Each structure stands twice: as structure tokens, then as C-alpha cells.
Amino acid sequence: MTLSKALLPTQTLATRALMVLGGSIFIALAARISVPMFPVPMTLSTLAVLLIGLSMGWRLGLATVGAYIAEAAAGLPVLAAGSVLGGPTTGFILGYLPMVALAGLAADLGARRFVPALVASVAASLLIYVPGVLWLDAVTALSFSGAIEKGMLPFVAGDMVKSVLAALAVAGGWAAISAKRG
């Protein structure tokens, strides 16, 4: 059971659609909180993706990130300022899909406490670098090692902090539910 299922035990199609829409808006708002860096800005969207996966599970998580990417492809202003699909950030944006899937799978398998949620968050956060770095290498003048230097290394510490925050939030949510029921 996921956190969203515990909070909303009866999830109609309309409820799930609203959750997907709300989650995609949450990612879009998180993308607006950014630190300009070249060639990829540092944003809070990865934190939002982790929270969505850990609280909604892999199915709704993938639907939410898929909706977000579709919104970006349609030209809606959901990406970080200056980012466009096809640009340097595209690999990282596509990396949200395996990221949310892994975090969501961990949630579906019962990652409710801090340590399991943290392990899942760290692993999911590292997944984003595979398509991100490969894309940077393919579409910029950066070499593969340059893509790692510019598109991964400056972000690892921040992504670890975001992993801790996501795990704390989800574990705290489960603790609050347990306290209310007990």
C-alpha cells in the first residue's frame, strides 16, 4: 500500500486523474525553483519526482511524470526557465521516468520507514544520470567525461540531500498515519 492509497483508500478514476494532474503541477512548480547552472540548471523537480514515486507508487508515478513530459512537449511552461525539450536538459527530464518507477516500486513493496525509503531514493536519484549524461554527451560539445563533470558531479550532493528529504517526508507521513490510527 502506498501513502496516497492510505490517505485516499477509495481512488476512483477521477481521483487518480486529479492526482496525476496535481502531481504534474507539483513537478512544474518545483522546476521553477532553480539555480542557474550551465548546461543544466539545478531544480527541485527531482525532489518532487521522488516524493511522487514514494507516495503514489510506480503506476501513478509513471502516469504523473508522463503527463508532465507531455505537458512540456505540448509547449506548456512546465520546465525550468530556459529549458526546452530537445535541449541539454532532455535526458534528465526523460530520466524522471525510471526515477519515479524505481521510487514507486519501492513504495509498492513497502518502503515506509526512513532507511528503505532513503535507499530507494538514492538509487532512483542515481538513475537519472544515465540518460542525462548520455544526452549531454550526444547533443552538446561536451565529451563523455565533460558531460559527467558538468551534468552529474555538481548535482550529486544536492540529490543526496533531496533523497534524505523525500525519505523523511514519506516516513513522517507513515508515522503520522500510524499515530492517528493507534
Side-chain angles (χ1 to χ4, degrees), residues 78-173:
V78 297
L79 301 175
S83 296
V84 294
L85 280 184
T89 59
T90 300
F92 295 98
I93 294 164
L94 294 175
Y96 294 167
L97 292 165
M99 181 186 213
V100 77
L102 182 58
L105 180 61
D108 289 336
L109 294 174
R112 296 179 181 180
R113 296 183 185 267
F114 175 74
V115 172
L118 178 62
V119 170
S121 294
V122 167
S125 293
L126 293 175
L127 273 179
I128 196 172
Y129 295 119
V130 175
V133 167
L134 290 173
W135 184 267
L136 274 180
D137 180 45
V139 302
T140 68
L142 295 171
S143 64
F144 183 72
S145 62
I148 290 172
E149 181 182 324
K150 298 286 187 185
M152 182 177 133
L153 296 180
F155 299 92
V156 172
D159 285 339
M160 296 307 105
V161 170
K162 293 176 210 175
S163 293
V164 169
L165 292 173
L168 282 171
V170 170

Side-chain angles (χ1 to χ4, degrees), residues 63-79:
T64 301
V65 170
Y68 173 75
I69 293 171
E71 292 161 5
L76 296 177
V78 297
L79 301 175

